Amino acid sequence: MPELPEVETVRRGLQPVFEGARIVTVEQRRPDLRFPFPADFVASLTGRSVISLGRRAKYLTMHLDRDPVLICHLGMSGSFRILAGSDDAVPGAFHHERSKNEAHDHVVFHLENDAGATSRVVFNDPRRFGFMLFSPGATLHEHPSLAGLGIEPTGNALDGAMLGDLLHGRRAPLKAALLDQRLIAGLGNIYVCEALWRAGLSPRREAGSIAPAPGRTNARCERLAEAIREVIADAIAAGGSSLRDHVQADGSLGYFQHSFNVYDREGEACRKPGCGGTVQRIVQSGRSTFYCPSCQR
DNA sequence: ATGCCTCCCTGATAGC
DNA sequence: TGCTATCAGGGAGGCA
């Protein structure tokens, strides 16, 4: 599920629990998720101190007091939750839902901080499209999962000229190009739809059609680059989007889904003032696209 | 190289 | 109620 804003929200939620803590033990409850766990998964983590939690695109990275670095992807349905203490007492009243959900608790990190307080962090992933892999720290950026990733849509690096460079000559639909992690890393189906709506550009348009020359900018490139940066920043500020069962690490809900202008709004009125159009759903590259044909051209 | 398709897996929901 | 079909935020691998 998670796109960049959700992964960043998870990172920020886990940071205070992990950073500076020692991993006392790790429970690995099955041999694989999307990929097999590394053979030395538990042994390499046990007893390590966590230096920092990072993020690249939709990947979390956990940097330890020695190699390797843990690379973690949430796939479509992965989530973390933090439990205080080390016993099995679990707060909350929804025992039925919890026990059902616990079948997909695949990894449990048992942590201890400097003050001796313990906590647990549980990784849950019903669909098991997520994964955890190791990389040597010195060559983290060369790891196969990270090596081909494009530019982060955060900060100011993604501007009109950069976008023009990335999209020039591309024949694929603009929607497909923005989903391509090798160009821009971290956008997913929701935020691509939302960014295109904000920019007033059709997802069906040929990507290269807004970028007449490599490295050159124009009004459309500027608008789209700004829309991408802003929708990502807005979503991070809102704590991401909480769809279905996705929650933040502390169990609270992000609320950006209330700000969707097109995603999952098929048949509803376009929210652009004065537009009067109706949001449509089409399928591109096998995935739903939501857009307003009236104001997105 | 580029673009498109299928597949991995489970759960929620809609329709009968 | 219960069955079945469809769909879901991602990305790797294979194909033309």
Side-chain angles (χ1 to χ4, degrees):
Chain A
M1 114 196 183
E3 304 182 30
L4 189 157
E6 289 72 39
V7 177
E8 177 60 20
T9 298
V10 168
R11 190 192 70 78
R12 293 179 184 187
L14 294 178
Q15 193 166 30
V17 185
F18 269 110
E19 286 192 3
R22 189 175 74 90
I23 301 172
V24 180
T25 56
V26 177
E27 294 174 59
Q28 176 199 325
R29 297 182 172 173
R30 54 174 298 126
D32 55 25
L33 295 172
R34 174 169 188 168
F35 305 122
F37 283 93
D40 55 350
F41 180 72
V42 170
S44 294
L45 295 173
T46 300
R48 303 272 58 78
S49 290
V50 180
I51 305 301
S52 63
L53 281 183
R55 180 192 58 73
R56 173 75 169 104
K58 304 172 191 173
Y59 296 82
L60 288 170
T61 55
M62 186 186 296
H63 302 260
L64 307 169
D65 56 359
R66 74 157 87 126
D67 270 353
V69 174
L70 177 63
I71 300 172
C72 182
H73 197 287
L74 302 176
M76 293 275 267
S77 60
S79 65
F80 285 96
R81 68 182 194 278
I82 299 165
L83 303 176
S86 56
D87 58 31
D88 289 322
V90 178
F94 302 99
H95 185 71
H96 174 70
E97 290 182 20
R98 181 184 317 287
S99 59
K100 181 172 150 192
N101 199 30
E102 277 176 359
H104 304 298
D105 287 350
H106 305 309
V107 180
V108 183
F109 297 88
H110 293 257
L111 305 175
E112 183 177 50
N113 68 13
D114 283 345
T118 59
S119 59
R120 287 166 294 160
V121 177
V122 182
F123 179 73
N124 181 284
D125 185 5
R127 291 178 76 177
R128 303 202 300 277
F129 288 173
F131 54 84
M132 295 190 187
L133 299 172
F134 283 142
S135 167
T139 56
L140 178 62
H141 64 288
E142 298 171 18
H143 188 276
S145 288
L146 306 183
L149 292 173
I151 187 173
E152 292 273 323
T154 52
N156 294 322
L158 179 65
D159 59 12
M162 172 68 73
L163 197 55
D165 207 20
L166 294 173
L167 299 182
H168 176 72
R170 303 236 160 225
R171 308 294 308 273
L174 188 50
K175 158 84 181 301
L178 296 183
L179 272 180
D180 188 337
Q181 303 298 298
R182 297 168 298 184
L183 304 179
I184 301 171
L187 298 181
N189 208 30
I190 292 177
Y191 297 111
V192 165
C193 291
E194 294 298 318
L196 286 169
W197 180 85
R198 290 189 183 207
L201 291 169
S202 171
R204 311 172 65 158
R205 171 191 275 277
E206 188 176 294
S209 72
I210 72 165
R216 299 291 296 278
T217 189
N218 59 26
R220 289 191 178 100
C221 287
E222 291 291 332
R223 260 190 299 156
L224 182 54
E226 183 178 21
I228 291 168
R229 294 194 310 263
E230 287 186 352
V231 76
I232 293 297
D234 290 352
I236 291 173
S241 307
S242 299
L243 297 186
R244 298 177 182 82
D245 62 348
H246 180 70
V247 295
Q248 297 175 22
D250 64 357
S252 63
L253 300 174
Y255 50 89
F256 191 77
Q257 67 275 17
H258 303 302
S259 303
F260 291 168
N261 287 296
V262 283
Y263 185 81
D264 208 20
R265 294 193 64 242
E266 180 181 18
E268 297 182 39
C270 177
R271 292 209 164 117
K272 184 183 170 76
C275 172
T278 302
V279 176
Q280 278 195 9
R281 174 186 177 273
I282 60 173
V283 175
Q284 295 178 288
S285 307
R287 307 187 67 186
S288 290
T289 297
F290 298 89
Y291 79 114
C292 173
S294 297
C295 65
Q296 292 181 247
R297 315 300 292 199

